[in-house]
Structures are given as structure tokens and as C-alpha cells.
């Protein structure tokens, strides 16, 4: 590689690289001149350039140069390794070689090949030597930033050594920044996953030491914005699988809560994501079953006056309690009538009406009789119907409706079929039935609701938004769609923003998800019955999203959320009265943890959080040797040759973000947030999920479209 040289080389250099057979391995006696040149060179940048020229390496800052290394990798590596082995005790030469290897790691294939050759084992010893520490830490930072999962996992095993280095050098903020950055990328790959990570990775993290050390460095004056961001990222990695240790650390939880007041949306979402994961493995499942006997007992006991007033003000007959009670009774009456007239078609029409009234309208039960010999109440299995348990009636009713062949009633048959599959927890089959129905009738809202229950969150959110635009639906279906829209968009938004960077299309899409969830949560909280089963869950999201989206605009005393807190208290009371203690779900625990700590945490960490909000370009640079800065710039520098395309390696940056482009990622008809919307070819302003949304919107849009 071209560049300044020291003394004239005394040893013969290898021939230019042509193919894998063109050059023999370099004999050790030829390194005398190289050693002299390296010793005479000032700074790592110059040493690296001297070594590149000695080895006649192509320009590693260009893709064309990396391609030449690809073509002759074995020979290039053997030549470099000969120098490494022959000069293993020469810190300047081994350090320069690590610099070259690090540069090659910008290419994923070369990185993997070097990893297989033991790259990590060559870098880590240099972190313990003062003269090569910065170079080695810089190498680890670069490798983990560009590296794949396997190499990051291996580097995560070096966390104890990295922690020891920064503990022994408490005033070396430069070393701390690179070590924390390395651990943030490496530990995330090793343990931040759904499945339990291997014990060796958990052991290497050593959470009880890691957390206080990282927090201590984040508190220090003069730390860079990069250290703060990577420190926050690192602190959020162990919260999932090391939740017990993290919950025992109050400063960690308070810091995450306080970060919800940062002016940087990236910081706020990262903190919320960490707080959510902290509760994931210690939480309970949400309520999935309904006991009509508990409902009847609650009504017989009477509700407290203040709850009765709430139901009355909303309209008692529109509330969930009344609708569930009457639906249960109507279901029993319909079954008894069917036992007498054997009319499965008539039963099916009644069940179709009940399905869209409440979630638990189809209560499980059976036809009972008293055994004349024992006097015990038993299920009558000889009633003359093709089913014994009431829920088993649904498929028979669906077939009876289809057999009639009356226009419009096939939708009811598909809805009954889907409901049967939901009761049996066969969600994929329910979704298949719903999709069949939508092919025939895309304006049937219940089918969209069924699809929201699936594992595909993107499809679910799209269906929730489309369903909400249907012209006719019952309140139960509408609020069910709103609830799913809040949960799906909230989860997608938090994940999307944490997985991308400001300025990325996916990041902006994540902002749109959060804004959508916030809007729908507000509508649900204002318009749903006070005893709605999902009121608690929606309010959990509403509280968390309000703090995350508004950030420092939220008063520290949380006065703005007092109405939501009061509604949540009432929702808890209704749940308890109806026989269900509010489950300690992940969202409930997260919301409670945030609210409990918020005021104290904001005061405790306000100075550190303010540091997050300083613009990166105004940061006071850490004092370093000019040569260190030059090498860092060289390692970051990669040019695309003319005509080439590819991803340019970028340094981590976390600028502030303003959610002012949300409309660009929302369907103009249904409001579904997505980065895959298609523009109207006429005005090129309206955006749609698909042709269906565009067609539905045309009656409104044609007045403003220029076509």
C-alpha cells in the first residue's frame, strides 16, 4: 500500500501477488530491514503503511484491493502470518499486523476467514500491553461492529478481561469507550436472544460487576456521547436472561426509567425496550379463560356505587359485563331450543349474532340430566344431536348454513368456523378460514380481527387497520381491532427502532408504528366501556407510550397521566370483582415499575440524561495522539470504486429524531404504518397498502388527486 516509509529496506521484498503459487513463504532472515523500518516509523498509521508496502498488499481502503486479497487469501495470510510468527515479541509489528487484519474485516467473507484462522486470539493479548492497548481495543471495536454473530460471541468471552482493563484504568476514558462499545456489540449477540444462551456467555458477562462498572463510567465527566449510547445499549442486554440480578440493581432500573425523559427518541425507546425485557421472564400470562359462575356471583354481590355510576354513565347495556351476561344466557337458550327443534341452521344464525357481541359469548357446556339411579347430574349424550358439548355445535351449524345456500350467509358460516378454531386454540386454521371469507367479502370486519391473532405481527397490524375501515361492525369487533392494533404496533415500533438507526427507512417506520399505537390507545381508552376486558392492557401501553413519545415534554410529576391512572384503577377493580386478580403481565409490571420510580429516577439521573441530549459534534474530543486518530480514520475509510455498489461501513451515530415524517409511512386509507406502501401514480402523495386500500379511498381522494 502506498505511503511514507522510514529507512530503506535492507531485505529483499516478496514479489507482487499474482496467484496463489507465485510467491514462496518469506524466510525469517529477511525481516531485519523490516524491523528497522518499523522501529523508525512514528505512530501506528505509519507502521501499518510500512508493513503494507513491505508485503506489497493492495490498497485495502478500496473494494478492488479487498477483491485481490480474496483471490489470493491463503498466500496473503501466510505472508502476513510469517511476519507475525517471526516477530511475535515485537509489539510494533504485531500491532501493525492487527491493524491490517482489522481493515480486512470490513469485508464479511475476509472477516470470517480471519476468524477461522484465530484472529481473536491474536488481538486480545495486545489489550494487556499498554503500548498496543488502544490499537487492540480499536480492532475489537471495529471487528464487533462489522462482525457476524459467531465472532461477536467469541469476543464476548473476553468481557472479563475488558472489564478488568477499564477497572484498572479508571481515568482512561478512551479505553473505556472502546471496551464498552466492544462489549455492547459482542454481549448483545451472545445473550440477547429469546432462547436461553449457553452458560459460558452468561458467566463471561458477570452482571454483578458489569453493571456498576459501566454505570460508574457513564457518570464520569468528559465521557463521549458514544460511550453513553453504547453504555446504555450494553446495560439493556442482560436484563432478559439475567433479570434477577438486574432487578436487584436499583440504580440500573432508575437509570433506564430516567432515560425516558431524554430528548433523543432512540435513547427513550432503548430504555423502554430494556424495561420491557426486564419483566419478560418473570411475568404471568394474560387472562384467556372466562368463568360465567364468577360473573353471576359478582352481579349478585352488587358492584360498589362508584363503579355502578361509571357503568350507568357509559350505558349499562353497552358495557361488557351486561353483554357477557346476556350473551351467556342467550347461548343457553339457543342450545335448549335446538335440543327441542333440532334446527342447526337456526342455532347457527343465533351463534353468529353472539360471536360478534362479546369474546366469551360461546360458553362451554352440555345438556345435563339427572341419573335416576345415582341422582347425580351428568351430561346427556343421547339428545339426538350430532354434538355433545356446546362448542362442538359450531362446525355442524356452519355446514347447515352453507347447505341453505342463501346469499350473504356464507360469511356467517366462515365466521362460525373461525370461532370454533379459536376456541380450540387452532389459530392458523382460524386465520385460513378468515382469509377465505375475505376473498369473498373484504368488508367483513370479524375476519380481519381473526387474522390479528396470528404470529405474523405485520400481517396482524395490517389486518387490524383494514378492519377498522369496514363500514359495519359491532362495538366488540371494533374495540378488539383497536386493542390488537395497539399491541402489535407498540411491539413492532419498539423493536424496529432498536434494530435500526436514525435516518433509516426502518427507523422512520418504527416511529410511525409508535405513533399509530399511541393514537389507537387514546381512542380505546376514551371510547371503550369502563369494564372492557382489555382496558388494562391498552392503558399500560398508553402510559408507556406517552412517556416514550413525549419524553421531556411529560411533567415529572406525571400529572398529565392522572386520568389514565384513575381509569386503570377502575379497570383493576372491575377485574377483581369479576373474579380475576389482574395478572402480572409483562406490560403491567413494566408500567408499574416505571410509574413507581419515575419522579425519583428523573431527579437522580437528570445530569447524565442531559449528556445524552448534547449534539455529538459539540463533544469535547478525547485527547489522543495524532497517530491514533489517523489509524482510526484509516480503519474507517473504505472507498467504492467507480461502478461498484455496496454498504459503506458507518460509525455508530445516534442523532436526535423528530417524528415529523410519520405520514409518509401511513396508508392514506386505513392508516396502517409500513415502509412498503405504494404511491398513487397520479398525485404521488397518497400512499396505500395495496390496491384494495387505494380503491376504497378513491371516492375521497379523487377530488384532490391531479389525475
Amino acid at each position: 500500500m502506498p505511503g511514507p516509509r522510514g529507512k530503506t529496506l535492507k531485505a529483499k521484498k516478496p514479489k507482487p501477488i499474482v496467484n496463489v503459487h507465485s510467491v514462496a513463504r518469506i524466510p525469517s532472515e529477511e525481516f531485519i530491514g523490516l524491523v528497522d523500518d518499523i522501529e523508525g516509523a512514528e505512530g501506528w498509521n505509519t507502521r501499518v503503511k510500512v508493513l503494507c508496502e513491505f508485503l506489497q498488499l493492495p490498497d485495502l481502503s478500496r473494494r478492488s484491493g479487498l477483491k485481490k486479497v480474496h483471490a489470493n487469501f491463503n498466500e496473503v495470510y501466510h505472508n502476513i502470518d510469517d511476519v507475525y510468527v517471526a516477530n511475535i515479541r515485537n509489539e510494533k509489528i504485531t500491532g501493525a499486523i492487527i491493524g491490517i487484519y482489522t481493515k480486512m474485516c470490513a469485508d464479511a467473507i475476509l472477516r470470517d476467514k480471519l476468524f477461522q484462522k484465530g484472529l481473536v486470539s491474536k488481538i486480545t493479548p495486545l489489550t494487556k500491553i499498554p503500548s498496543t492497548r488502544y490499537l487492540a481495543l480499536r480492532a475489537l471495536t471495529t471487528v464487533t461492529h462489522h462482525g457476524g454473530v459467531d465472532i461477536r460471541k467469541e469476543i464476548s468471552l473476553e468481557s472479563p478481561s475488558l472489564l478488568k482493563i477499564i477497572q484498572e484504568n479508571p481515568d482512561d476514558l478512551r479505553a473505556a469507550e472502546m471496551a464498552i462499545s466492544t462489549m455492547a456489540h459482542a454481549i448483545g449477540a451472545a445473550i440477547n436472544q429469546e432462547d436461553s444462551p449457553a452458560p459460558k456467555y452468561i458467566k463471561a458477562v458477570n452482571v454483578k460487576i458489569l453493571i456498576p462498572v459501566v454505570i460508574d463510567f457513564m457518570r464520569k465527566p468528559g465521557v463521549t456521547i458514544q460511550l453513553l449510547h453504547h453504555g446504555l445499549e450494553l446495560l439493556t442486554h442482560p436484563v432478559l436472561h439475567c433479570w434477577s440480578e438486574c432487578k436487584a440493581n436499583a440504580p440500573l432500573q432508575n437509570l433506564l426509567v430516567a432515560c425516558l425523559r431524554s430528548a433523543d427518541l432512540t435513547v427513550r425507546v432503548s430504555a423502554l425496550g430494556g424495561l420491557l425485557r426486564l419483566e419478560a421472564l418473570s411475568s404471568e400470562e394474560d387472562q384467556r379463560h372466562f368463568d360465567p359462575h364468577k360473573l353471576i356471583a359478582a352481579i349478585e354481590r352488587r358492584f360498589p356505587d362508584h363503579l355502578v355510576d361509571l357503568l350507568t354513565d357509559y350505558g349499562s347495556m353497552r358495557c361488557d359485563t351486561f353483554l357477557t351476561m346476556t350473551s351467556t344466557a342467550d347461548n343457553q337458550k339457543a342450545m335448549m331450543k335446538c335440543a327441542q327443534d333440532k334446527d342447526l341452521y337456526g342455532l347457527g344464525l343465533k351463534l353468529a349474532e353472539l360471536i360478534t357481541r362479546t369474546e366469551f359469548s360461546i360458553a362451554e357446556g352440555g345438556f345435563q340430566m339427572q341419573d335416576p339411579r345415582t341422582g347425580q347430574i351428568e351430561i346427556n349424550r343421547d339428545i339426538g344431536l350430532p354434538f355433545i358439548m356446546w362448542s362442538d355445535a359450531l362446525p355442524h351449524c356452519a355446514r347447515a348454513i352453507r347447505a341453505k345456500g342463501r346469499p350473504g350467509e356464507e360469511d356467517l358460516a366462515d365466521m362460525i368456523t373461525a370461532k370454533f378454531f379459536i376456541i380450540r386454540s387452532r389459530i392458523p386454521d382460524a386465520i385460513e378460514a378468515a382469509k377465505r371469507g375475505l376473498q369473498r367479502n373484504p368488508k367483513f370486519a370479524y375476519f380481519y380481527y381473526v387474522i390479528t391473532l396470528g404470529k405474523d405481527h405485520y400481517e396482524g397490524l395490517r389486518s387490524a387497520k383494514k378492519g377498522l375501515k369496514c363500514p359495519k361492525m359491532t362495538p366488540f369487533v371494533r374495540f378488539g381491532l383497536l386493542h390488537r392494533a395497539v399491541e402489535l404496533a407498540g411491539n413492532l415500533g419498539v423493536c424496529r427502532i432498536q434494530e435500526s438507526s436514525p435516518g433509516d427507512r426502518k427507523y422512520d417506520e418504527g416511529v410511525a408504528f409508535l405513533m399509530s399505537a399511541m393514537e389507537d390507545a387514546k381512542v380505546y381508552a376514551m371510547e371503550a366501556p369502563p369494564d372492557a376486558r382489555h382496558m388494562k392492557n391498552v392503558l399500560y401501553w398508553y402510559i408507556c407510550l406517552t412517556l416514550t413519545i413525549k419524553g421531556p415534554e411529560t411533567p415529572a410529576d406525571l400529572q398529565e397521566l392522572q386520568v389514565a391512572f384513575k381509569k386503570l384503577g377502575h379497570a383493576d377493580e372491575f377485574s377483581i370483582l369479576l373474579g380475576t386478580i389482574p395478572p402480572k403481565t409483562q406490560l403491567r409490571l413494566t408500567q408499574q415499575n416505571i410509574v413507581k420510580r419515575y419522579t425519583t429516577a428523573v431527579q437522580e439521573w437528570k445530569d447524565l440524561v442531559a449528556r445524552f441530549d448534547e449534539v455529538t459534534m459539540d463533544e469535547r474530543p478525547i485527547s489522543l495522539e495524532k497517530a491514533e486518530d489517523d489509524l482510526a480514520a484509516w480503519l474507517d475509510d473504505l472507498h467504492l470504486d467507480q461502478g461498484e455498489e455496496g454498504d459503506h461501513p458507518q460509525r455508530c451515530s445516534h442523532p436526535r429524531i423528530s417524528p415529523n415524517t410519520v405520514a409518509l409511512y401511513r396508508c392514506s386509507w386505513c392508516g396502517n404504518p409500513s415502509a412498503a406502501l405504494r404511491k398513487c401514480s397520479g398525485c404521488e402523495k397518497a400512499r396505500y397498502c395495496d390496491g384494495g386500500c387505494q380503491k376504497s379511498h378513491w371516492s375521497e381522494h379523487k377530488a384532490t388527486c391531479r389525475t
Side-chain angles (χ1 to χ4, degrees):
M1 177 177 178
R5 295 182 57 193
K7 301 177 182 178
T8 303
L9 296 178
K10 300 177 182 178
K12 181 182 178 181
K13 295 185 297 184
K15 299 177 182 178
I17 297 172
V18 178
N19 56 59
V20 294
H21 304 293
S22 65
V23 183
R25 298 190 70 172
I26 306 171
S28 59
E29 61 269 13
E30 297 191 13
F31 296 134
I32 299 174
L34 173 64
V35 172
D36 289 344
D37 275 7
I38 291 291
E39 291 295 334
E42 294 184 4
W44 286 114
N45 197 29
T46 305
R47 293 168 196 149
V48 169
K49 290 182 177 180
V50 168
L51 187 55
C52 284
E53 184 170 313
F54 175 79
L55 293 166
Q56 291 201 342
L57 295 178
D59 187 347
L60 299 179
S61 65
R62 296 187 176 275
R63 292 198 183 279
S64 57
L66 294 176
K67 286 181 179 179
K68 291 178 182 178
V69 176
H70 270 290
N72 302 277
F73 176 77
N74 288 334
E75 182 179 2
V76 170
Y77 179 80
H78 288 157
N79 283 343
I80 297 174
D81 198 50
D82 279 343
V83 178
Y84 181 88
V85 172
N87 298 274
I88 191 68
R89 299 186 183 281
N90 189 315
E91 300 167 6
K92 294 179 180 179
I93 290 181
T94 54
I97 289 173
I98 293 305
I100 292 173
Y101 284 155
T102 304
K103 185 65 175 179
M104 291 181 183
C105 285
D107 182 285
I109 297 176
L110 291 178
R111 178 199 68 217
D112 291 342
K113 288 182 177 181
L114 290 170
F115 171 58
Q116 293 169 4
K117 296 287 187 180
L119 174 63
V120 176
S121 64
K122 288 183 170 64
I123 298 176
T124 51
L126 299 183
T127 63
K128 301 176 177 64
I129 303 172
S131 65
T132 58
R133 178 170 296 143
Y134 285 170
L135 175 73
L137 289 173
R138 175 66 186 176
L140 289 174
T141 302
T142 302
V143 171
T144 52
H145 183 61
H146 296 296
V149 173
D150 290 339
I151 194 168
R152 288 183 178 185
K153 283 184 174 181
E154 180 170 334
I155 291 175
S156 75
L157 298 176
E158 301 298 327
S159 297
S161 298
L162 296 176
L163 277 174
K164 184 178 180 181
I165 288 171
I166 61 178
Q167 281 181 290
E168 293 175 347
N169 299 274
D171 297 324
D172 192 340
L173 300 184
R174 172 64 172 170
E177 177 188 325
M178 292 187 287
I180 289 173
S181 172
T182 297
M183 288 188 289
H185 292 302
I187 290 175
I191 71 170
N192 196 10
Q193 56 192 41
E194 290 187 12
D195 298 330
S196 297
K200 63 179 180 180
Y201 298 122
I202 296 292
K203 182 179 179 180
V205 172
N206 198 352
V207 175
K208 290 183 178 180
I209 295 179
L210 174 76
I211 292 175
V213 169
V214 173
I215 289 179
D216 184 58
F217 270 98
M218 293 175 71
R219 285 182 182 272
K220 291 180 182 293
V223 298
T224 64
I225 196 74
Q226 286 81 9
L227 186 149
L228 290 175
H229 279 286
H230 283 121
L232 178 62
E233 179 185 351
L234 177 54
L235 291 174
T236 61
H237 287 324
V239 295
L240 178 61
H241 293 292
C242 303
W243 61 269
S244 180
E245 295 90 336
C246 292
K247 281 195 170 187
N249 193 303
L252 168 64
Q253 295 179 74
N254 286 344
L255 173 58
L256 293 180
V257 170
C259 284
L260 294 174
R261 282 188 70 80
S262 169
D264 188 337
L265 180 63
T266 304
V267 173
R268 302 199 299 270
V269 174
S270 180
L272 178 60
L275 290 164
L276 283 166
R277 290 194 298 276
L278 179 65
E279 309 294 351
L281 298 183
S282 61
S283 60
E284 300 173 352
E285 289 289 329
D286 200 2
Q287 174 193 358
R288 293 187 176 182
H289 304 288
F290 167 69
D291 186 344
H293 299 294
K294 291 183 177 180
L295 172 62
I296 295 171
I299 294 174
E300 290 176 347
R301 289 192 302 267
R302 291 185 55 81
F303 289 175
D305 290 343
H306 67 286
L307 296 184
V308 172
D309 290 342
L310 290 175
L311 297 176
T312 302
D313 291 343
Y314 187 84
S316 299
M317 297 179 68
R318 299 165 54 211
C319 293
D320 268 16
T321 302
F322 177 84
L323 290 172
T324 302
M325 180 180 65
T326 56
S327 296
T328 301
D330 290 346
N331 180 62
Q332 291 176 347
K333 292 177 184 178
M335 289 296 174
M336 293 306 174
K337 183 176 183 298
C338 184
Q340 295 173 351
D341 59 23
K342 307 297 189 291
D343 182 7
L344 293 174
Y345 170 76
L347 176 62
L349 294 182
K350 186 61 179 179
L351 294 181
E353 176 197 340
L354 295 177
I355 287 171
T356 59
R357 195 187 290 178
T358 67
E359 184 70 55
F360 301 115
S361 54
I362 309 299
E364 188 59 282
F367 301 104
Q368 297 179 337
M369 61 173 288
Q370 187 177 37
D371 189 315
R373 292 170 297 178
T374 65
Q376 293 184 346
I377 302 298
E378 298 178 348
I379 296 294
N380 188 351
R381 299 177 180 275
D382 189 22
I383 198 72
L385 290 170
F387 60 90
I388 297 173
M389 303 306 293
W390 289 349
S391 62
D392 290 327
L394 272 66
H396 299 287
C397 292
R399 281 194 291 269
I401 291 174
R402 291 191 182 97
K404 286 286 185 179
R406 294 179 178 175
E409 290 186 351
E410 195 168 350
D411 293 337
L412 304 181
D414 284 342
M415 178 175 67
I416 292 171
T417 300
K419 180 64 175 180
F420 172 74
F421 288 136
I422 291 173
I423 293 173
R424 293 290 183 268
S425 299
R426 294 167 55 182
I427 302 301
D429 292 330
I431 292 173
E432 185 179 344
K435 288 181 176 179
R436 281 199 308 268
L438 284 175
Q439 289 177 354
R440 181 180 57 256
N441 183 2
K443 295 183 179 181
F444 199 84
Y446 187 82
F447 293 147
Y448 291 107
Y449 171 71
V450 173
I451 296 174
T452 67
L453 305 178
K455 293 183 178 180
D456 188 334
H457 290 184
Y458 290 97
E459 181 182 56
L461 179 58
R462 190 181 307 115
S463 294
K465 288 296 189 178
K466 284 179 175 289
L468 287 167
K469 296 298 292 184
C470 290
K472 294 181 180 179
M473 71 187 84
T474 62
F476 158 69
V477 175
R478 176 171 176 256
F479 291 125
L481 288 167
L482 276 171
H483 165 241
R484 295 300 295 154
V486 171
E487 286 205 332
L488 293 169
N491 278 312
L492 287 171
V494 173
C495 292
R496 259 290 192 254
I497 290 177
Q498 290 181 101
E499 293 167 356
S500 55
S501 301
D504 293 349
R505 190 176 184 181
K506 290 182 178 180
Y507 188 96
D508 292 338
E509 184 185 31
V511 175
F513 282 141
L514 291 186
M515 297 299 291
S516 173
M518 178 72 174
E519 292 165 8
D520 288 337
K522 187 174 182 179
V523 172
Y524 188 105
M526 291 178 62
E527 299 182 11
D531 61 341
R533 186 167 71 94
H534 295 302
M535 180 63 78
K536 298 187 298 297
N537 293 347
V538 171
L539 286 171
Y540 301 152
W541 270 115
Y542 179 76
I543 292 166
C544 292
L545 289 173
T546 296
L547 295 173
T548 304
I549 291 173
K550 294 191 174 182
E553 297 176 11
T554 305
D557 61 3
L558 300 181
Q559 189 62 37
E560 181 180 336
L561 291 170
Q562 292 306 309
V563 173
F565 294 150
K566 190 173 182 179
K567 278 180 175 284
L568 182 55
H570 292 151
D572 283 348
E573 287 187 79
F574 279 117
S575 181
I576 294 170
L577 283 169
L578 294 173
T580 301
I581 297 176
K584 296 178 180 179
T585 63
Q586 180 182 10
L587 269 172
R588 182 179 180 84
L589 294 175
T590 301
Q591 180 267 149
Q592 288 178 335
N593 195 24
I594 291 173
V595 173
K596 176 180 68 176
R597 297 177 181 276
Y598 193 82
T599 303
T600 301
V602 166
Q603 185 64 30
E604 178 184 355
W605 292 98
K606 62 180 181 181
D607 293 336
L608 189 148
V609 171
R611 292 283 291 138
F612 276 108
D613 302 336
E614 294 179 4
V615 181
T616 305
M617 67 179 61
D618 292 335
E619 284 284 314
R620 181 180 61 81
I622 297 292
S623 178
L624 296 171
E625 295 181 33
K626 182 67 165 62
E628 297 294 343
D629 290 332
D630 289 342
L631 182 64
W634 180 75
L635 289 172
D636 275 348
D637 184 34
L638 183 64
H639 300 283
L640 294 179
D641 297 327
Q642 186 174 6
E644 290 186 342
E645 296 181 357
D647 294 329
H648 193 296
Q650 298 288 334
R651 288 177 135 177
C652 290
S653 61
H654 305 270
R656 301 180 189 186
I657 188 72
S658 175
N660 55 3
T661 58
V662 172
L664 298 178
Y665 295 91
R666 300 283 289 275
C667 175
S668 299
W669 169 243
C670 71
N672 174 49
S674 174
L677 301 176
R678 66 189 206 182
K679 291 182 181 180
C680 169
S681 59
C683 63
E684 295 188 348
K685 293 181 180 179
R687 289 169 167 79
Y688 301 101
C689 299
D690 50 35
C693 283
Q694 187 170 12
K695 184 178 179 180
S696 298
H697 192 226
W698 178 242
S699 60
E700 298 178 20
H701 178 57
K702 63 182 178 182
T704 57
C705 184
R706 68 185 184 186
T707 57

